[in-house]
Amino acid sequence: MKPKLEKLFQQRVNGKVALITGASSGIGLTVAHKLADAGAHVLLVARTQETLEQVKAEIEARGGKASVFPCDLNDMDSIDAVSQQILASVDHIDILINNAGRSIRRAVHESVDRFHDFERTMQLNYFGAVRLVLNILPQMMHRKDGHIINISSIGVLANATRFSAYVASKAALDAFSRCLSAEAHTHKIAITSVYMPLVRTPMIAPTKIYKYVPTLSPEQAADLIAYAIVKRPKKIATHLGRLASITYAIAPDINNKLMSIGYNLFPSSTASVGEQQKLNWVQRAYARLFPGEHW
């Protein structure tokens, strides 16, 4: 992050309260550290208390402030319970970052007997995030202040193949965010969707070919979220994400052909589990043409 933006970020978050889901690893963990280092009180939400306690200890060892709230974000009752616990423990929440998510890489024709893949991605990525927003939103509306950041995916803009379950759940959250943004505008609540490209986190580790394609680091992903906090835009996307969105809007057949080429170039996850599979030069070249895209 550029020094000027870093300074603005520190000014924006110092003394603020930020709630982060999926805070025990990957993007959420990195964002939690970044916010805490800048003076925010971070509320850490994830499934495993032991891991959250370790993150809290790391933050406090660096002089930061953190609180731990274990929660299974697949369970609506658990979300309601932890929301009540959080709202009882802090005066307010300035920033809510819906980062927790589940990704499944599988073609539709390989999913005909796996409807549960679509159910569980929707449960966490959409219903879990919406349930948390519904619990936190009234307090933000009462204060007429707040920022909700929903982590979406570049796949929503590019129509990533093999990710229909994941992309559909993120697209649902995206549509919810757009509707909420207009409703919350008069209450001075900002809603931002971050169309995150592929990031090298534990979530993508099972897909071995991703070792060989361009990805963002968790630190680069955290910088995108920091930019969102400073600027409070409606959406944030990489250059490729914006290009994919424009291409689909004005020439959907071209978008479809490009995605189809990628679909046929890269193997299914079942073909890349176990022994590491290296990419040939054509696959490498195509992946570099579309950095951060999900294949």
Side-chain angles (χ1 to χ4, degrees):
M1 187 184 297
K2 295 179 180 179
K4 183 178 179 181
L5 189 61
E6 187 76 41
K7 183 178 180 180
L8 291 172
F9 174 70
Q10 292 178 348
Q11 292 173 350
R12 174 76 75 177
V13 306
N14 185 39
K16 303 293 186 181
V17 179
L19 170 56
I20 310 157
T21 67
S24 60
S25 67
I27 298 171
L29 172 62
T30 307
V31 170
H33 277 290
K34 193 173 190 68
L35 284 163
D37 288 345
H41 175 193
V42 291
L43 312 181
L44 310 172
V45 177
R47 183 178 298 183
T48 307
Q49 178 159 357
E50 181 180 356
T51 308
L52 288 175
E53 293 289 355
Q54 181 179 345
V55 176
K56 177 184 177 182
E58 292 170 355
I59 288 173
E60 291 178 341
R62 293 161 62 163
K65 184 178 182 181
S67 299
V68 166
F69 297 96
C71 177
D72 181 358
L73 294 164
N74 294 289
D75 185 326
M76 301 299 106
D77 291 337
S78 180
I79 294 174
D80 290 345
V82 82
S83 297
Q84 292 178 7
Q85 183 184 358
I86 290 170
L87 292 172
S89 68
V90 295
D91 291 335
H92 62 275
I93 296 167
D94 296 292
I95 305 166
L96 166 60
I97 302 174
N98 277 311
N99 165 72
R102 177 196 300 276
S103 177
I104 294 176
R105 183 179 185 269
R106 186 173 288 113
V108 174
H109 79 272
E110 297 169 339
S111 307
V112 293
D113 296 322
R114 297 183 61 90
F115 184 69
H116 61 279
D117 284 350
F118 297 87
E119 291 179 306
R120 59 182 180 164
T121 49
M122 191 64 76
Q123 187 72 20
L124 177 60
N125 298 353
Y126 179 61
F127 291 125
V130 169
R131 189 73 164 225
L132 187 56
V133 169
L134 295 180
N135 285 326
I136 302 303
L137 183 63
Q139 168 255 86
M140 288 185 171
M141 292 179 68
H142 178 73
R143 294 183 64 243
K144 288 190 177 297
D145 187 34
H147 191 183
I148 298 172
I149 299 173
N150 292 321
I151 306 304
S152 186
S153 168
I154 191 175
V156 174
L157 304 178
N159 311 300
T161 58
R162 289 195 175 88
F163 286 88
S164 58
Y166 175 69
V167 168
S169 66
K170 290 295 188 181
L173 182 61
D174 193 34
F176 171 81
S177 300
R178 294 198 304 269
C179 295
L180 175 59
S181 180
E183 296 181 13
H185 180 72
T186 56
H187 296 277
K188 303 186 186 306
I189 299 169
I191 314 294
T192 301
S193 292
V194 180
Y195 298 99
M196 197 67 73
L198 199 63
V199 180
R200 195 160 298 284
T201 68
M203 188 171 75
I204 73 168
T207 304
K208 302 303 181 184
I209 64 170
Y210 282 159
K211 180 178 179 181
Y212 304 100
V213 302
T215 62
L216 292 190
S217 68
E219 291 74 22
Q220 289 172 314
D223 283 347
L224 286 179
I225 296 172
Y227 181 87
I229 291 172
V230 172
K231 299 296 185 178
R232 293 163 65 100
K234 299 296 182 194
K235 58 184 180 180
I236 290 180
T238 61
H239 294 312
L240 177 63
R242 290 191 289 271
L243 178 61
S245 180
I246 293 170
T247 302
Y248 188 74
I250 64 176
D253 286 344
I254 292 177
N255 178 281
N256 193 66
K257 289 177 182 177
L258 290 172
M259 291 299 102
S260 179
I261 291 171
Y263 172 74
N264 288 299
L265 271 177
F266 297 95
S268 296
S269 293
T270 52
S272 58
V273 171
E275 185 178 347
Q276 198 110 340
Q277 178 175 340
K278 294 185 178 181
L279 303 184
N280 60 42
W281 72 268
V282 177
Q283 291 170 318
R284 286 176 180 268
Y286 204 77
R288 292 185 185 282
L289 280 174
F290 300 96
E293 179 55 87
H294 297 67
W295 299 112

